[in-house]
Amino acid sequence: MTRAVFLAHTAAPSGAELATLRLLSALRDRPGAPFEVELLVTEDGPMVERVRARGIPVTVQRNAFDSRSMTIADSGAGGLLAGGVALLKLGWTLGGVLRERRADVLVAESTKALLMGAVAARRARIPLVWQVHDLVSREYFGRVLAVVVRVLGWLLARGVIANSRATLGSLFTWRRAAVVAYPGVEPVAAPDDRAPQRAPRDTVVAVVGRLCPWKGQDVLLRALAAARHRPRAVYIVGGTFFGEESYRDELVALSDELALPVEFVGHVEDPTAYMRAADILVHCSVLAEPFGQVVVEGMQAGCAVIAARAGGPLEIIRPGVDGFLVDGGDAAALARILDQLIADPELRTRLAGSARLRAREFGIDATAAAVAEVLTAVTAGSARRSAVS
């Protein structure tokens, strides 16, 4: 039995953490149960109880480290250095926890977790695997820091789990165990109770995701204002977790200015009900999305989906078959596709039917199998090295 500990620096309920929750459950429940899984997190938060509710052990290692000190924008170079030192000290403490838990492998769930995990894994004398949820690109990290992170990932981790081919392509993986493991969705009951696609004048549009500029909710509002056909209702589902409340205020003001039928739903634990109530789901990120879980979730919910043509969505949607793709930030192009879909319920119905079938290809069992393969390879390699030494 392999004991895999997953290390996270945050317990906020964002996409990466929810994907980890599903993965932990699927790894534990795989036939033959080759893995015991645990979560080790360095702050308390909503995800702790959600993980425990599934019967998965969680250790919260409370500490004085402020993860915001690891961002140049918030603290500058001096603060970044001080934050790095604090991170390494925390990693040494976590290594003691891993030894007590008799862990066989550590999986770091973020770049910050990678840094502290490298120290922790070394102290515990176990291999480190990096599960990458972000594109390590200049758009997200800056040109210099992106290279630094790629090099650190290659030096520190013996295995890499990427959430898309786009993410894997942004990493250095030479002579490392590496795999693409899409953030799998869990099976749901067949949506037989879902209402048929509505007539054009009654169409409902939804966008689901954290409210921040790079998610592009303002692009959707401008596209709706430019479209010839307007929906009856628009759900903007998502909250502001990282001090970006001013962007929400801008969106509210813009929707009022454009006289759009928008409801700002806020953060909800499970947005499935809103997706099932929508005819069209729009994903409108202006930066390349590492994967785009909400795209698959919208397809699974029976929506006709429009997604940004970059990153993960390119690997999910087959244009004209199970959705449409549009260049991120192009409000005019998005308006044209919205017009086409709103005006044609039969097209929406065909796309949504194909989308539900396509979503099955991104199931959590396939994700768990891919992750298990890497963890097995890394722990086997570690055992061979220990035997030789």
Side-chain angles (χ1 to χ4, degrees):
M1 182 74 69
T2 298
R3 177 166 292 174
V5 175
F6 287 69
L7 174 63
H9 78 276
T10 178
S14 60
E17 287 67 44
L18 294 170
T20 300
L21 170 62
R22 298 191 297 269
L23 174 60
L24 289 171
S25 299
L27 276 174
R28 178 198 60 191
D29 297 338
R30 291 191 79 224
F35 290 96
E36 289 183 356
V37 296
E38 301 183 18
L39 178 66
L40 176 57
V41 62
T42 57
E43 68 175 27
D44 207 345
M47 289 304 302
V48 171
E49 289 308 315
R50 293 183 72 164
V51 174
R52 284 177 176 159
R54 295 202 180 194
I56 296 168
V58 181
T59 299
V60 180
Q61 183 61 48
R62 292 178 174 82
N63 60 92
F65 173 68
D66 182 1
S67 64
R68 289 174 299 179
S69 66
M70 291 298 292
T71 58
I72 293 176
D74 289 335
S75 56
L80 188 65
L81 178 60
V85 172
L87 197 77
L88 296 178
K89 289 181 178 178
L90 176 56
W92 185 257
T93 300
L94 295 173
V97 175
L98 294 174
R99 292 174 71 170
E100 292 174 1
R101 302 302 298 161
R102 298 184 180 275
D104 296 303
V105 61
L106 179 64
V107 183
E109 289 296 311
S110 66
T111 304
K112 293 170 186 175
L114 172 71
L115 297 176
M116 67 177 87
V119 178
R122 185 170 183 83
R123 184 181 182 190
R125 297 184 178 181
I126 60 174
L128 175 67
V129 173
W130 184 22
Q131 183 159 17
V132 191
H133 299 277
D134 297 311
L135 285 168
V136 185
S137 64
R138 61 188 301 175
E139 290 80 9
Y140 285 89
F141 288 84
R143 183 172 59 183
V144 174
L145 188 55
V147 175
V148 170
V149 171
R150 289 176 197 143
V151 171
L152 284 173
W154 183 81
L155 289 173
L156 300 177
R158 294 184 189 169
V160 171
I161 303 165
N163 65 352
S164 68
R165 293 195 301 271
T167 296
L168 188 64
S170 71
L171 305 172
F172 296 151
T173 58
W174 182 65
R175 299 187 69 178
R176 294 292 183 267
V179 71
V180 173
Y182 293 116
V185 294
E186 294 175 323
V188 297
D192 296 332
D193 59 341
R194 180 189 168 92
Q197 289 282 329
R198 299 174 179 88
R201 66 181 179 278
D202 294 322
T203 303
V204 175
V205 174
V207 57
V208 179
R210 169 183 156 202
L211 301 187
C212 62
W214 79 268
K215 289 290 188 179
Q217 288 91 348
D218 61 302
V219 177
L220 171 62
L221 296 182
R222 297 183 191 282
L224 289 167
R228 297 190 307 273
H229 302 282
R230 288 199 175 186
R232 175 176 58 81
V234 179
Y235 298 135
I236 295 185
V237 184
T240 52
F241 297 114
F242 302 97
E244 292 163 331
E245 292 83 0
S246 62
Y247 181 65
R248 183 189 186 282
D249 296 337
E250 293 172 14
L251 293 175
V252 172
L254 181 59
S255 67
D256 290 343
E257 175 188 339
L258 299 175
L260 295 171
V262 175
E263 177 183 346
F264 288 88
V265 174
H267 171 73
V268 295
E269 291 296 320
D270 184 358
T272 303
Y274 287 95
M275 289 189 280
R276 291 186 61 135
D279 301 288
I280 300 170
L281 180 91
V282 180
H283 164 275
C284 44
S285 295
V286 297
L287 296 180
E289 191 81 47
F291 176 63
Q293 295 178 55
V294 71
V295 174
V296 177
E297 291 165 356
M299 297 166 78
Q300 185 182 51
C303 295
V305 177
I306 306 170
R309 195 198 327 267
L314 286 168
E315 302 170 36
I316 302 169
I317 288 182
R318 298 167 295 185
V321 177
D322 38 46
F324 282 115
L325 296 171
V326 62
D327 291 338
D330 191 338
L334 179 55
R336 289 192 293 272
I337 295 178
L338 283 167
D339 267 330
Q340 182 180 359
L341 284 178
I342 292 173
D344 193 343
E346 292 185 2
L347 173 60
R348 283 187 261 128
T349 299
R350 177 175 63 78
L351 292 174
S354 296
R356 284 196 294 268
L357 296 176
R358 176 66 167 166
R360 295 176 187 173
E361 299 177 28
F362 297 91
I364 190 62
D365 289 341
T367 303
V371 171
E373 181 180 343
V374 166
L375 298 184
T376 299
V378 167
T379 53
S382 178
R384 285 194 297 271
R385 282 187 290 272
S386 296
V388 171
S389 62

